Amino acid sequence: EAIIGDRKVWQLRTKEGASLWVDTFYGVTLRVDVSSERYEFQNPLFNGVQEKDVQFTERDLKVN
């Protein structure tokens, strides 16, 4: 276990040598280290999508 920002994370290592830093509560990857490259996701927004932000279009699909 470790901390990234104010989030508790688990560090996971793949057989290929990549390190993944995964949020312990949501299970979201916050950092990925692959050889000399680092990808970090800052300021993640959890539960921030509201119903009005999502629109669905109903279609009638015919199955043959």
Side-chain angles (χ1 to χ4, degrees):
E1 288 189 6
I3 301 287
I4 293 181
D6 61 347
R7 309 290 312 169
K8 290 182 181 180
V9 295
W10 290 318
Q11 182 183 12
L12 308 173
R13 293 191 182 161
T14 67
K15 292 179 184 179
E16 295 79 14
S19 292
L20 300 144
W21 303 79
V22 179
D23 183 277
T24 61
F25 187 79
Y26 288 104
V28 174
T29 303
L30 298 179
R31 179 188 296 165
V32 178
D33 293 334
V34 181
S35 57
S36 63
E37 296 182 31
R38 173 173 283 174
Y39 303 92
E40 194 165 312
F41 305 96
Q42 299 175 349
N43 302 320
L45 180 61
F46 301 106
N47 297 327
V49 177
Q50 297 179 6
E51 191 172 332
K52 66 179 179 146
D53 298 328
V54 180
Q55 296 179 357
F56 294 96
T57 303
E58 290 188 36
R59 296 188 308 174
D60 185 18
L61 298 176
K62 295 181 182 180
V63 179
N64 292 330

